[in-house]
Amino acid sequence: LTNFALIKHEDILMKVFDEVLYTANEVLQEFQLGKERGILPDADWSWMRVLEIESEQEVHLFERLTERLGLGESACLSFAANRNMKILTDDLDTRNYAQRLGVSVSGTIGVLVLPIKKGIISLAEGNKLLVAMVENGYYSPYKTLDSLL
């Protein structure tokens, strides 16, 4: 969310995921804290569906994960593992835990490629978004998205 918010293109996520993207209250609270501290810009995430930790299995995994990960990452990974969902994160520790739990992971690069493949934006537009993200502090393993398509 952060990389798209920093370049004021959270709308790309809404278009790519057909307005069906799940998050946790913990993620939105972390984002709000970043906004209050002046680190993150204002962004509209009201279109996202907010999930709550419900089952005993989710609670147990959430509690285990919070020993090593942030609350937002822990909640989302708990949902993904228990509800057979994919997780979107660039956080290396979260990605490692997801792999151990058998949860499919994608990150900013994967999400940037999707709107190009779906014809929502052009490759040139995708590369401009990537450059803007890098200028805002995102570390990208790719200079362009060209080789990924």
Side-chain angles (χ1 to χ4, degrees):
L1 300 181
T2 301
N3 289 320
F4 290 89
L6 286 170
I7 63 168
K8 303 199 183 311
H9 274 287
E10 58 271 19
D11 61 307
I12 295 289
L13 294 169
M14 185 169 51
K15 292 173 186 171
V16 166
F17 295 104
D18 299 320
E19 299 184 25
V20 181
L21 188 62
Y22 300 93
T23 193
N25 273 323
E26 292 83 355
V27 170
L28 297 177
Q29 289 168 356
E30 289 174 354
F31 197 90
Q32 181 63 31
L33 184 60
K35 185 177 134 191
E36 289 169 6
R37 291 181 176 168
I39 299 168
L40 298 173
D42 193 23
D44 179 16
W45 303 115
S46 63
W47 58 274
M48 294 179 74
R49 296 183 187 176
V50 180
L51 298 177
E52 300 288 336
I53 295 173
E54 296 173 355
S55 72
E56 195 173 304
Q57 294 90 347
E58 288 174 351
V59 170
H60 179 70
L61 182 56
F62 174 77
E63 289 172 350
R64 277 192 19 230
L65 291 170
T66 56
E67 294 172 9
R68 301 269 190 240
L69 304 174
L71 295 177
E73 291 90 350
S74 297
C76 289
L77 191 48
S78 180
F79 298 144
N82 285 287
R83 300 182 194 191
N84 196 28
M85 301 170 115
K86 184 176 192 171
I87 189 169
L88 302 175
T89 184
D90 289 319
D91 182 80
L92 184 58
D93 290 335
T94 304
R95 292 174 80 95
N96 288 335
Y97 277 100
Q99 184 177 13
R100 288 183 215 154
L101 292 167
V103 173
S104 180
V105 180
S106 188
T108 297
I109 295 295
V111 173
L112 275 175
V113 168
L114 286 175
I116 298 167
K117 287 182 175 180
K118 289 184 170 189
I120 296 168
I121 63 173
S122 68
L123 176 58
E125 290 169 312
N127 282 329
K128 284 181 187 178
L129 294 175
L130 178 59
V131 168
M133 287 178 181
V134 169
E135 288 172 351
N136 278 279
Y138 171 62
Y139 168 76
S140 174
Y142 299 94
K143 291 191 186 297
T144 71
L145 302 171
D146 299 40
S147 66
L148 302 174
L149 297 165

